[in-house]
Amino acid sequence: MNRRELLIGAAALTACSQDARSQGPRAQAPLFPMRRGVNLGNALEAPNEGDWGFQIEDEHLDIIGDGGFDGIRLPVRWDTHTAAAAPYAIDPRFLGRVEEVVTGALRRGLYVQLDAHHDPIGEQPERFAAIWRQIAHHFRNMSDKLLLEPFNEPNGDQFTGARLSSIQAGLRDSINTASPNRLVVLGPGNWQNIDALRDWAPPSTESVAVSVHYYEPHAFTHHNAEWLGADAPRYSGVWGADAHIRLVHQHIEQAAEWGRRRGVAMQLGEFGVNSAVSLDQRVLWTRTVREACEAQQMGWCVWDFAGAFPLWHRENRRWIEPLRQALIS
């Protein structure tokens, strides 16, 4: 989860939504397999697990399943645990720790979306491809409830439109060679924003699903975000007017309609509100986004379990129940 640019204006989004409706009955698309997920952020993408205040415990997987969720997204930073020289071997101890979490979740019947988080994709493309060949090979015999997501929020000029699709096609092919028929989750550039779908297409729809992220309005969801320091936005208003809620539904409908036109499964892979925002406002926004996704039959995965946007209170070791209920009605 990173800072992202603002989406295009409400008027343009409304026009897109109206245009989609004018095309007649909805096309059919496969459903994203994980329907109600939660990100286990701030753990395995930290320099060392626990450095950012959270370590994944076996009990957490039980809590998530018992709480009504059907899967986890597992953000991992791989490059800091990988050799600098070819063949770019991943530290077996770290790979074993990731496997421990993955197998624990799968054993409980949960989906697992295994992600690369904060890896410098563009700096060493050969090393990055080698990392994902190893991951795909290592997990090749796992349940098909394991999904692989090799990119998180690609951004910058080198990761736009057809250029990004070409890079993703090569990586998707490497993964499928090492682990045939494994579902690969991909998304557009511009931090995986919904508006970036306009200029991007997945390399294919075979063994591919699409995930986008949503934190709008950014000043609201990242209000007083301490990790942004002096750059942290301030939201002075109250979120929740009818116009605010309509805009969320328009954004999500835009993404869902894009997927229906292309026959590809769609997910909202990250959404959430920083804990500096009042709980009632967090609950309202979270419920609104969840309801918008379900109205469009999009799978969703909230950010996150116990990080800066928490659903679960680390110190008290219990759900922040109004937020859980906003997601699991």
Side-chain angles (χ1 to χ4, degrees):
M1 184 271 306
N2 291 295
R3 296 189 67 189
R4 56 211 15 94
E5 298 174 16
L6 294 175
L7 295 176
I8 56 177
L13 284 165
T14 302
C16 289
S17 179
Q18 291 171 342
D19 178 66
R21 287 193 293 269
S22 71
Q23 295 177 14
R26 285 180 176 177
Q28 296 299 309
L31 296 179
F32 196 92
M34 182 167 66
R35 308 303 298 158
R36 303 177 306 280
V38 57
N39 280 271
L40 281 177
N42 285 9
L44 291 172
E45 79 272 34
N48 299 286
E49 187 179 6
D51 283 356
W52 294 350
F54 177 55
Q55 289 182 281
I56 300 169
E57 300 173 11
D58 229 32
E59 178 190 18
H60 296 151
L61 303 174
D62 290 321
I63 289 167
I64 288 167
D66 293 343
F69 299 90
D70 69 348
I72 62 168
R73 182 170 179 257
L74 187 61
V76 179
R77 181 159 187 174
W78 298 94
D79 74 303
T80 52
H81 302 278
T82 299
Y88 309 114
I90 301 171
D91 180 347
R93 293 170 298 178
F94 183 72
L95 190 56
R97 172 57 181 148
V98 174
E99 181 180 352
E100 184 179 36
V101 178
V102 169
T103 55
L106 293 174
R107 190 168 60 247
R108 290 164 171 82
L110 297 170
Y111 284 93
V112 178
Q113 190 168 331
L114 185 56
D115 169 51
H117 228 74
H118 305 310
D119 284 11
I121 302 168
E123 296 175 12
Q124 295 178 300
E126 291 182 7
R127 184 168 179 252
F128 187 68
I131 288 171
W132 275 95
R133 282 194 297 271
Q134 291 174 76
I135 295 167
H137 180 78
H138 185 83
F139 291 103
R140 66 193 182 282
N141 294 321
M142 292 286 182
S143 159
D144 60 8
K145 283 192 167 186
L146 173 64
L147 322 176
L148 299 183
E149 185 178 14
F151 292 81
N152 178 70
E153 297 184 343
N155 61 91
D157 290 343
Q158 74 272 38
F159 297 122
T160 57
R163 283 174 289 185
L164 176 59
S165 296
S166 177
I167 295 167
Q168 290 170 328
L171 200 56
R172 187 276 322 273
D173 291 346
S174 293
I175 289 172
N176 286 164
T177 297
S179 184
N181 302 316
R182 179 73 60 191
L183 187 64
V184 178
V185 181
L186 300 171
N190 191 24
W191 308 98
Q192 246 163 298
N193 267 333
I194 291 170
D195 66 320
L197 290 170
R198 294 172 299 164
D199 303 315
W200 173 82
S204 78
T205 57
E206 184 177 353
S207 298
V208 167
V210 171
S211 183
V212 290
H213 295 177
Y214 190 70
Y215 292 98
E216 300 304 327
H218 181 267
F220 171 74
T221 62
H222 287 66
H223 171 72
N224 276 341
E226 62 179 18
W227 65 93
L228 297 178
D231 293 330
R234 304 289 188 270
Y235 191 82
S236 58
V238 175
W239 192 91
D242 288 347
H244 298 156
I245 292 171
R246 283 196 302 271
L247 190 57
V248 169
H249 280 267
Q250 289 165 7
H251 291 159
I252 301 303
E253 183 182 8
Q254 180 189 347
E257 187 60 34
W258 182 96
R260 284 190 286 265
R261 289 197 302 268
R262 289 159 179 79
V264 62
M266 295 293 296
Q267 179 203 44
L268 191 64
E270 285 189 21
F271 65 102
V273 185
N274 180 34
S275 60
V277 176
S278 67
L279 181 58
D280 63 332
Q281 290 272 277
R282 292 181 68 203
V283 167
L284 177 58
W285 187 92
T286 300
R287 180 185 294 114
T288 298
V289 177
R290 187 267 299 172
E291 289 177 345
C293 287
E294 292 180 353
Q296 299 296 329
Q297 296 188 303
M298 277 181 64
W300 52 260
C301 192
V302 65
W303 188 277
D304 75 325
F305 181 63
F309 293 51
L311 304 175
W312 191 77
H313 199 287
R314 291 199 303 264
E315 288 74 23
N316 296 335
R317 300 187 69 82
R318 64 171 182 254
W319 289 109
I320 302 172
E321 191 59 24
L323 278 168
R324 190 194 70 82
Q325 291 184 17
L327 292 159
I328 308 296
S329 59

